[in-house]
Amino acid sequence: MRKSRETAVTEIVSSIALDQPEPTKKFDDSTATVAGSSTHANPLGVVLRIDGAHAKPAKLRFASGKCVIGSGASSDIVLSDRTVSRSHVQLELVPEGVAVRDLGSRNGTFYLGQRVQVMVLGVGARLVIGQSASLTIDADDEAIGALPPYAGADYRGMVGNSSAMRKLFSVLLRLEGSLVTVLLDGESGSGKERVARALHEGSRVSTGPFVAVNCGAIPRELVASELFGHRRGAFTGAVEGRRGAFEAANGGTLFLDELGELPLEVQPVLLRALETGEIRAVGDDEARRVNVRLVAATNRDIDQRVREGLFRDDLYYRLAVVRLRVPPLRERPEDIEPLARSFAAAEGIADLPRPVIDALRSQTFPGNARELRNAIQAYAALGTLPSRRPADLEARRALLAAAVDLKRPFLEQRDELVDEFAGVYLDALLASTNGNQTAAAQIAGLDRTYLGRLLAKLGRRP
C-alpha cells in the first residue's frame, strides 16, 4: 500500500535525515526549541514530497535545523509555481514532528483548508502551498529500516535474542522522544500492546496516562461513545455523561487495538480528531481540545481492508506514519526460552528446569507470547505444563466448519459466533467469581464499565 502511494506522487523532492556526519552548510546542529522547552530534535528522518509543482532536484541532509521552500533560487527546495513566493514557508524538525512557519507569502500556506502562520504538524500531514502545490510529510522509512540491530536482549520489559526483535528494539529506541503516530502489525498474542507501552514509556508523555481500547470488543453502536465520550441523554441508556478514551488519555498515549474493526462511520471522526486535536462527545455541540499521542495495532490485513473500501485510505496514511511489524513467536523460536524465564520470574519462579524449557521449545504456540505466558502461569499453579490436545482442537474446528454458511455474509456469522462465545465465557467467568463483576473484569482483562455493558448487551445478570 505504501509503495502505490509513493508512486502516485510526482517526485520525492527532499530527504531529511538525522545524525548525518556532514550536514549541509545551510543548517546548524543547534537544539530545536518548541513552546519554550529545549529538547533534542525529532529522532525520525522525514521525506518531503511535492505534488502539483516542479521542484529543483535536491536531497538535503542535516542533523537538525530548517528548510525553506519557495520559488527563489536561494530556497532549499525551489518550486516553479507563480503562486509560490520566493521564500514561501519554512519547515523545522522538532520533537513533535515538523514546525511550519509561513514567511509572509502572498498566497498563503494552508492546512485542512485553513491558512496558517505558525504551527507544528505531525508526520503524515499534508500542506497546500500557494494555490496548486501540495506537500506531504512522511517518515523516512528507508532510513528507519537501515538501522543497526539493538545491542541488548531486552528493551523496556520486552525480551528477545532474535534478530527480528533486536531490529524492532532498535527502531523503538530511535523513536524515543518522538510523538509520531505508529501502526503495529502482528498476530494476536504477539505482544503489540507491550510494544505500545514501550513506545509510551520512551516518549515525552511517559508521565501521562496510557489508555488501551480494543476496537473489536466494543459494540458497534458504542464505538463513538467509547472513544469520544457522550452527554447525558445522548442516546438510549445514556443516563449520565461519560468521558471517552481520548479525554482519559489526554497528556499521554492512546492505544487503539484491533484497529481494522473500527466502523467506517466512526473513521472520519477519528481522522478529524487526529488532524485538529479536537474531539466532540456524542450529543455535545462543543468541541474540546486534547493532546494525545496515538499508537494503533491490527492483526488483520489493513491494506486489504483499504482496497475493499472498509477502511479510509486517508485515515490509514495518518495512522501508518511509522508502521512496525511485531513478529510471531514461530519466527523467533530462540526467544521462547528467555521469554519463558521472564514469565516465570514474574510468577515468582527463580528458575525453570531444563526439561520444561525443552518441552516449551518443542511447541509452536499459535497463540504466540500470550499462549506461552499462559503455559508458564499454569506451570506455576500446577507444577506441570498444560497438555496439548490436538483431538480437542480438531473437534472444535469441525464444529466451526459445520457452522459455516457460505450463503450468509461473513461479518454476520462472525458476530453471531463471537456473541455465542462471549455468552459462554461470561457465564463461566461470573460463576468463577460468584457474580463479582470487579473480580471478573480483572480476570478477563476488561474495563469494569465495559464488562457491565457487555453483560447487559448479552442479557447476563449476575
Side-chain angles (χ1 to χ4, degrees):
M1 193 69 200
R2 305 276 303 177
K3 292 269 187 188
S4 61
R5 181 188 179 205
E6 292 190 2
T7 54
V9 181
T10 57
E11 187 176 21
I12 294 180
V13 298
S14 176
S15 175
I16 303 178
L18 297 178
D19 303 327
Q20 299 299 324
E22 296 182 358
T24 61
K25 64 181 180 180
K26 288 183 179 292
F27 307 106
D28 57 35
D29 294 324
S30 61
T31 299
T33 302
V34 183
S37 63
S38 180
T39 183
H40 292 294
N42 191 321
L44 283 176
V46 300
V47 176
L48 305 181
R49 297 183 291 114
I50 299 288
D51 192 10
H54 297 291
K56 178 179 69 176
K59 194 172 187 180
L60 306 177
R61 297 184 178 275
F62 54 91
S64 66
K66 304 168 185 177
C67 172
V68 174
I69 300 174
S71 59
S74 62
S75 297
D76 300 306
I77 298 178
V78 179
L79 304 182
S80 57
D81 188 320
R82 293 181 178 180
T83 67
V84 175
S85 299
R86 294 183 62 80
S87 294
H88 194 107
V89 63
Q90 172 187 285
L91 306 181
E92 179 180 4
L93 287 176
V94 296
E96 293 87 349
V98 178
V100 178
R101 180 184 296 275
D102 187 272
L103 300 176
S105 66
R106 175 176 297 179
N107 292 303
T109 302
F110 297 85
Y111 177 66
L112 296 180
Q114 300 295 317
R115 187 164 183 165
V116 300
Q117 296 298 324
V118 180
M119 71 181 305
V120 176
L121 293 179
V123 182
R126 182 174 176 268
L127 286 171
V128 175
I129 302 172
Q131 296 180 5
S132 61
S134 65
L135 180 148
T136 305
I137 303 170
D138 278 339
D140 189 350
D141 293 338
E142 183 177 344
I144 294 173
L147 292 174
Y150 185 73
D154 60 88
Y155 176 82
R156 295 193 178 277
M158 292 185 292
V159 176
N161 287 325
S162 63
S163 59
M165 288 304 293
R166 290 193 296 117
K167 186 68 174 178
L168 177 61
F169 293 164
S170 73
V171 178
L172 296 178
L173 180 64
R174 188 63 179 268
L175 289 172
E176 289 200 355
S178 170
L179 298 180
V180 68
T181 304
V182 178
L183 177 62
L184 303 173
D185 287 302
E187 296 178 3
S188 179
S190 59
K192 298 186 293 298
E193 182 171 345
R194 192 66 200 87
V195 175
R197 287 186 179 274
L199 284 164
H200 171 69
E201 292 165 5
S203 74
R204 293 181 302 102
V205 295
S206 58
T207 57
F210 177 89
V211 177
V213 175
N214 187 330
C215 299
I218 308 172
R220 188 182 189 92
E221 65 275 10
L222 294 178
V223 173
S225 169
E226 188 75 21
L227 293 180
F228 308 114
H230 64 258
R231 289 188 61 185
R232 178 181 178 182
F235 50 85
T236 303
V239 294
E240 59 182 18
R242 181 179 183 273
R243 69 173 185 168
F246 267 88
E247 277 194 87
N250 193 22
T253 300
L254 175 60
F255 173 56
L256 297 183
D257 199 5
E258 294 194 34
L259 180 74
E261 304 296 336
L262 197 67
L264 196 59
E265 62 269 19
V266 178
Q267 294 176 24
V269 187
L270 175 59
L271 176 62
R272 186 72 183 178
L274 292 175
E275 295 284 11
T276 66
E278 293 184 344
I279 61 169
R280 182 177 286 107
V282 177
D284 200 345
D285 296 328
E286 183 178 341
R288 304 173 188 176
R289 290 200 62 82
V290 292
N291 183 18
V292 173
R293 192 269 183 92
L294 188 71
V295 178
T298 179
N299 60 5
R300 303 188 65 175
D301 188 345
I302 195 73
D303 302 287
Q304 180 64 30
R305 292 185 70 78
V306 171
R307 288 191 292 269
E308 293 173 352
L310 299 175
F311 200 90
R312 292 174 60 111
D313 58 353
D314 50 1
L315 178 59
Y316 165 81
Y317 294 138
R318 187 64 182 81
L319 291 170
V321 173
V322 174
R323 189 169 177 178
L324 302 177
R325 179 175 180 266
V326 183
L329 196 53
R330 65 178 176 275
E331 293 182 7
R332 47 189 181 103
E334 61 267 47
D335 289 340
I336 291 178
E337 180 172 349
L339 276 172
R341 295 191 183 281
S342 175
F343 294 145
E347 297 296 323
I349 301 174
D351 193 23
L352 288 175
R354 176 48 57 180
V356 172
I357 293 294
D358 291 342
L360 292 172
R361 288 177 61 90
S362 68
Q363 298 180 19
T364 57
F365 294 105
N368 294 298
R370 181 186 296 127
E371 184 180 352
L372 174 59
R373 183 192 61 195
N374 292 343
I376 295 300
Q377 289 175 342
Y379 176 80
L382 304 173
T384 183
L385 292 174
S387 61
R388 306 292 294 265
R389 295 180 291 179
D392 289 353
L393 293 176
E394 290 301 323
R396 186 166 61 193
R397 288 172 181 167
L399 288 173
L400 289 172
V404 170
D405 183 355
L406 297 180
K407 297 179 180 179
R408 297 175 59 202
F410 163 76
L411 292 178
E412 179 182 302
Q413 294 184 72
R414 185 203 63 182
D415 291 345
E416 283 184 3
L417 288 172
V418 168
D419 285 347
E420 289 180 13
F421 165 78
V424 172
Y425 178 88
L426 292 175
D427 289 341
L429 180 66
L430 292 172
S432 70
T433 63
N434 293 320
N436 186 320
Q437 292 190 40
T438 300
Q442 292 176 344
I443 293 173
L446 297 174
D447 178 78
R448 169 68 178 77
T449 304
Y450 172 69
L451 177 62
R453 290 203 302 268
L454 187 60
L455 288 170
K457 174 178 179 288
L458 297 176
R460 260 57 178 185
R461 293 290 184 270

